[in-house]
Amino acid sequence: MERVAIIGAAMTQFGQREGEWITDLLAEAGIDCLEDAGVDANDVEHLYVSNMTSGEFEGQTGVMNALVHDIGAIPAYTKRVDQTSASGGAGIYAAWQSIESGASDMTLLVGGEKMTHRSTSETTDIIASVTHPVEYNAGVTLPSFAGLTARRYLERFDAPRESLGKVAVKNHKNGVDNPHAQFRKEVDLETVLESPIVADPLRLYDFCPITDGSAALLFCPESVAREYTDDYAVVTGVDGATDTQVVHEREEPTVMNGVVESGRGAYEMSGLGPADIDVAELHDMFTILEFLQMEGLGFAEQGAAWKRVEDGDTERDTGELPTNTSGGLKSKGHPLGASGVAQGVEIYEQLVGEAGPRQVDADAGLCCNVGGFGNCVITTIMEAAQ
Amino acid sequence: MERVAIIGAAMTQFGQREGEWITDLLAEAGIDCLEDAGVDANDVEHLYVSNMTSGEFEGQTGVMNALVHDIGAIPAYTKRVDQTSASGGAGIYAAWQSIESGASDMTLLVGGEKMTHRSTSETTDIIASVTHPVEYNAGVTLPSFAGLTARRYLERFDAPRESLGKVAVKNHKNGVDNPHAQFRKEVDLETVLESPIVADPLRLYDFCPITDGSAALLFCPESVAREYTDDYAVVTGVDGATDTQVVHEREEPTVMNGVVESGRGAYEMSGLGPADIDVAELHDMFTILEFLQMEGLGFAEQGAAWKRVEDGDTERDTGELPTNTSGGLKSKGHPLGASGVAQGVEIYEQLVGEAGPRQVDADAGLCCNVGGFGNCVITTIMEAAQ
């Protein structure tokens, strides 16, 4: 079987996109991605849209059908893929399957979400609807899970509160060099640690913002990729796995089984291990999640991720494992369905040498996209073709 | 590459399921399907949910994560697949890809929707949100498209109004023998033709009802299927295709390009043609759609489907091409995400000889699942293993 290649990538400006619909954002990223790859819309065979909530946020469904029309790709087959905040990762997995199964020789994946036009309380409620009914009806929100988990982590592993803050400082610093990031400003540790409490011990700067935006990737078999370019990336590992959706049933909340299992599958498929990964995009919806993913993916022993962050190992220009070079969800923003695709965009750009001032030296990269509070996680490993 | 087999099927009672959530319905069909196949939940590797609107209808998202928990399939990977009213067909295509690509050796597909707890006007509005914003904002609904198309068809092909009514009569008759159907009562032509006008010339009995329900299918490679049973079905053809979402841009509204293109792809993949199909489930959300699909799939010349219906060719016990032996969406009901899966359940049961009083003699069957007003269509061809 041929390997699955990625030959193009694009993302819109992330942030507040007033006066634009979800369909506008999806079309912008989709068209830019095709242009980036030099592929005509007529050559797209499948077009997948990663999106969680166009119906809830905008009262508009069928956005994938609008997109295939708007970019001129009819009669390409289309569907929407939803895995809550990991819809983008689920889209990557679906696009990979479409190529690997022979169903399509050219699959465009576009992830996007339009969120900022709703109030914060409405938005929080829509996002909280991903939790199990048992917990949703008890009034639980994702930030509350994050606060509880952070407290448990800090106490269990005797980690300093500052270590969480350093994740935010690092990712904001990286975001300055990402022209598409929602926030392009550095923050210092003091600002993070003194920002308003959201879910104790987590504060405002421990959380990603609410964001509008879209991102896209173009997939094809490696033989087709070579017709277009020599600089492409290859998806060599991808897997997804669930953990119980009822978070209070988990044995140990600081261990994310979905991360562990999906990582195991992706490593096995690629033949690589944690030490082979040169750059990683982790799902830092909350700072604590970056620690939990580093540990679940074998980048640190359990309870030791905070030390690697403190030691500077995840810094972009000087670290052994540059992490969230894009700025992460923290500073780049988190338009739900777009985020997993945008992680892929960053790794693709790093592998083909198009990351500009964020460029690191990388032959292999990894994305980890987390749905809900670790309910379902997709891990993807990409390698440079050359 | 191995062929993709289906080794189990189940569906819940379709109708009004008061006091039950979407997650209850999905779990019921999923568990019954595993039991039908004799497969343990722990052996499920991927679990896909076909559902369009759990967030809009129930304020509950992430239902696939709830399901994987509720049936005990953790850490199986899961995602939701949405292609509006063709979400079930899109789920079949996704499940096929998951097996064919080697990503999974056991994929459970569960489609479902919970709709009847909302008012008819709310439901109509949610469903209308699948139309292109240009048309949605003009107040267009799917029934209005159906009425306009039916008028055009009757005039263009000089077809009698009664021929449409006969689709309803036939499908209601078939539904009597389906224990899971929402309506198990025959209707006579007079009742159909004198029922209240909904969208002239279409009347109440030309439309499918609003329905709660769920349906499930279990997919695996053929070599795995043989470990469980000798009586299984094989998906030998499947394809999806779009037509413009902006219906008023179509050259000829009585031709559904998505049907034509997806049918072409499915026939080509299977090596079969229309004459080889022994039984068909068509998406009769409106009676007129049964004609348009018969013609798009080559079961009748353009403008001639109504004659085949008048001639009795699509009758279950006496026709050459029994169509909608399940009762169709018309009498079985149309819980959006479940419908395409339930079409597959009927064809599977016909092929493995489990259709009871509805049983016809069939080696090959076809399902056609229509998203929106033909915005995207998935056609699936299955054959008996033996």
Side-chain angles (χ1 to χ4, degrees):
Chain A
M1 189 55 90
E2 268 197 85
R3 300 197 300 176
V4 176
I6 297 180
I7 60 169
M11 60 183 285
T12 68
Q13 179 66 47
F14 277 18
Q16 194 167 351
R17 299 287 300 258
E18 227 178 299
E20 290 178 285
W21 287 67
I22 177 70
T23 46
D24 299 322
L25 299 175
L26 295 173
E28 183 187 331
I31 289 166
D32 285 355
C33 184
L34 291 174
E35 202 176 292
D36 180 59
V39 170
D40 195 89
N42 289 317
D43 293 325
V44 173
E45 299 183 8
H46 285 201
L47 194 171
Y48 296 165
V49 170
S50 294
N51 168 268
M52 176 183 158
T53 56
S54 72
E56 294 87 334
F57 272 103
E58 296 197 89
Q60 181 68 36
T61 60
V63 291
M64 57 287 184
N65 297 328
L67 181 64
V68 81
H69 167 270
D70 293 349
I71 72 170
I74 292 167
Y77 169 64
T78 189
K79 69 176 173 186
R80 180 169 69 120
V81 178
D82 165 34
Q83 178 34 264
T84 67
S85 44
S87 296
I92 290 175
Y93 200 7
W96 180 88
Q97 290 179 36
S98 76
I99 302 294
E100 187 75 6
S101 68
S104 164
D105 273 346
M106 189 64 74
T107 298
L108 176 61
L109 169 66
V110 187
E113 213 85 38
K114 177 79 179 80
M115 308 170 72
T116 65
H117 57 294
R118 301 289 287 267
S119 72
T120 303
S121 65
E122 284 173 336
T123 301
T124 301
D125 186 53
I126 291 173
I127 295 173
S129 74
V130 306
T131 57
H132 196 274
V134 171
E135 293 178 327
Y136 175 79
N137 290 329
V140 166
T141 64
L142 293 192
S144 69
F145 278 140
L148 291 164
T149 304
R151 174 162 300 285
R152 165 83 180 153
Y153 184 94
L154 297 180
E155 285 177 0
R156 186 175 177 213
F157 301 117
D158 202 22
R161 171 65 185 85
E162 289 73 16
S163 62
L164 285 170
K166 286 177 183 169
V167 171
V169 171
K170 167 180 69 69
N171 293 351
H172 267 276
K173 193 173 155 200
N174 290 341
V176 171
D177 290 324
N178 187 341
H180 298 111
Q182 182 165 8
F183 298 130
R184 299 185 66 188
K185 61 168 186 181
E186 293 203 39
V187 293
D188 57 26
L189 190 57
E190 200 180 6
T191 306
V192 176
L193 296 178
E194 289 178 4
S195 61
I197 288 181
V198 174
D200 187 54
L202 299 181
R203 292 164 181 263
L204 186 63
Y205 274 94
D206 289 292
F207 293 87
C208 69
I210 294 166
T211 312
D212 307 327
S214 180
L217 291 167
L218 188 62
F219 298 76
C220 62
E222 192 164 14
S223 61
V224 175
R226 291 206 190 98
E227 294 170 19
Y228 289 93
T229 179
D230 293 326
D231 289 322
Y232 57 90
V234 180
V235 178
T236 57
V238 56
D239 199 13
T242 45
D243 194 352
T244 174
Q245 194 194 19
V246 185
V247 177
H248 70 262
E249 282 180 1
R250 294 183 193 169
E251 264 182 54
E252 175 48 60
T254 60
V255 176
M256 300 190 91
N257 286 326
V259 173
V260 174
E261 290 297 326
S262 67
R264 198 198 313 270
Y267 284 133
E268 193 180 309
M269 185 174 149
S270 69
L272 301 183
D276 301 311
I277 302 300
D278 303 311
V279 58
E281 286 284 304
L282 304 183
H283 191 97
D284 59 330
M285 181 158 60
F286 322 113
T287 49
I288 181 66
L289 287 188
E290 195 164 309
F291 289 174
L292 302 191
Q293 285 161 83
M294 286 177 66
E295 296 173 10
L297 293 164
F299 297 138
E301 295 294 312
Q302 209 186 351
W306 68 269
K307 289 179 199 155
R308 288 206 75 179
V309 170
E310 292 263 355
D311 291 346
D313 289 350
T314 56
E315 293 290 326
R316 187 185 76 198
D317 298 325
T318 52
E320 254 181 51
L321 179 65
T323 299
N324 284 324
T325 53
S326 70
L329 280 51
K330 181 69 198 79
S331 87
K332 189 172 73 234
H334 182 26
L336 305 168
S339 286
V341 184
Q343 290 182 324
V345 170
E346 179 69 12
I347 296 298
Y348 168 85
E349 291 186 346
Q350 292 287 359
L351 294 174
V352 300
E354 293 179 0
R358 304 186 313 285
Q359 187 67 49
V360 298
D361 184 23
D363 297 317
L366 176 149
C367 318
C368 186
N369 196 198
V370 175
F373 201 73
N375 306 329
C376 185
V377 179
I378 297 98
T379 300
T380 307
I381 294 171
M382 296 184 203
E383 294 178 62
Q386 314 253 328
Chain B
M1 190 54 90
E2 268 196 84
R3 302 197 299 177
V4 176
I6 298 180
I7 60 169
M11 60 184 285
T12 68
Q13 178 65 49
F14 277 17
Q16 194 166 350
R17 300 288 300 258
E18 226 177 300
E20 289 178 287
W21 288 65
I22 177 69
T23 45
D24 299 322
L25 299 175
L26 295 173
E28 183 187 333
I31 289 167
D32 286 355
C33 183
L34 291 174
E35 202 176 291
D36 180 59
V39 171
D40 194 272
N42 289 317
D43 292 325
V44 173
E45 298 183 9
H46 285 201
L47 195 171
Y48 296 165
V49 170
S50 293
N51 168 270
M52 176 183 160
T53 57
S54 72
E56 295 87 333
F57 272 102
E58 295 198 271
Q60 181 69 34
T61 61
V63 291
M64 56 288 185
N65 298 328
L67 181 63
V68 81
H69 167 270
D70 293 349
I71 72 170
I74 292 167
Y77 170 64
T78 189
K79 68 177 173 185
R80 181 169 68 120
V81 177
D82 165 33
Q83 179 35 266
T84 67
S85 45
S87 295
I92 290 175
Y93 200 8
W96 180 87
Q97 290 178 35
S98 75
I99 303 294
E100 186 74 7
S101 67
S104 165
D105 273 346
M106 190 63 74
T107 298
L108 176 61
L109 169 66
V110 187
E113 214 85 37
K114 178 77 180 79
M115 309 170 72
T116 64
H117 56 293
R118 301 291 287 267
S119 72
T120 303
S121 65
E122 285 172 336
T123 301
T124 302
D125 186 53
I126 291 173
I127 296 172
S129 73
V130 306
T131 57
H132 196 275
V134 171
E135 293 177 328
Y136 175 79
N137 291 328
V140 165
T141 63
L142 292 191
S144 69
F145 279 139
L148 291 164
T149 304
R151 174 163 298 287
R152 166 84 180 153
Y153 185 95
L154 297 180
E155 285 178 0
R156 186 174 177 213
F157 301 118
D158 202 21
R161 171 67 184 86
E162 290 73 15
S163 63
L164 284 171
K166 285 176 184 171
V167 170
V169 171
K170 166 179 70 68
N171 293 351
H172 268 274
K173 193 171 154 202
N174 290 341
V176 171
D177 289 325
N178 188 340
H180 299 112
Q182 182 165 10
F183 299 130
R184 300 186 65 187
K185 61 166 185 184
E186 294 204 38
V187 293
D188 58 26
L189 190 56
E190 199 180 8
T191 305
V192 176
L193 296 178
E194 289 178 4
S195 62
I197 287 182
V198 173
D200 188 54
L202 298 182
R203 292 166 181 263
L204 186 63
Y205 274 95
D206 289 292
F207 293 88
C208 68
I210 293 167
T211 313
D212 308 326
S214 179
L217 290 167
L218 188 62
F219 298 75
C220 62
E222 192 165 15
S223 61
V224 175
R226 290 206 191 100
E227 294 170 20
Y228 289 93
T229 179
D230 292 327
D231 289 322
Y232 57 90
V234 180
V235 177
T236 57
V238 56
D239 199 13
T242 45
D243 195 352
T244 173
Q245 195 195 16
V246 185
V247 177
H248 71 262
E249 281 180 2
R250 294 182 193 171
E251 265 181 53
E252 175 49 58
T254 60
V255 175
M256 300 191 90
N257 285 326
V259 173
V260 174
E261 290 297 327
S262 67
R264 198 199 312 271
Y267 285 134
E268 194 180 307
M269 185 175 149
S270 69
L272 302 182
D276 301 310
I277 302 300
D278 303 310
V279 59
E281 287 285 303
L282 305 183
H283 191 98
D284 58 331
M285 180 159 59
F286 322 113
T287 49
I288 181 66
L289 286 187
E290 194 163 310
F291 289 173
L292 302 191
Q293 286 161 82
M294 286 177 66
E295 296 173 8
L297 293 164
F299 297 137
E301 295 294 312
Q302 210 186 351
W306 68 270
K307 288 180 200 153
R308 288 207 74 179
V309 170
E310 293 263 355
D311 292 347
D313 289 350
T314 57
E315 294 289 328
R316 186 183 76 197
D317 299 323
T318 52
E320 255 181 51
L321 180 66
T323 300
N324 284 326
T325 52
S326 70
L329 280 51
K330 181 70 198 79
S331 86
K332 188 172 72 233
H334 182 26
L336 305 169
S339 286
V341 183
Q343 289 182 324
V345 169
E346 179 69 12
I347 296 299
Y348 167 84
E349 291 186 346
Q350 292 287 358
L351 294 175
V352 299
E354 294 180 0
R358 305 186 313 285
Q359 187 67 49
V360 299
D361 184 23
D363 298 318
L366 176 150
C367 318
C368 186
N369 197 199
V370 174
F373 202 73
N375 305 329
C376 184
V377 179
I378 297 98
T379 300
T380 307
I381 294 171
M382 294 183 204
E383 295 178 63
Q386 315 254 325

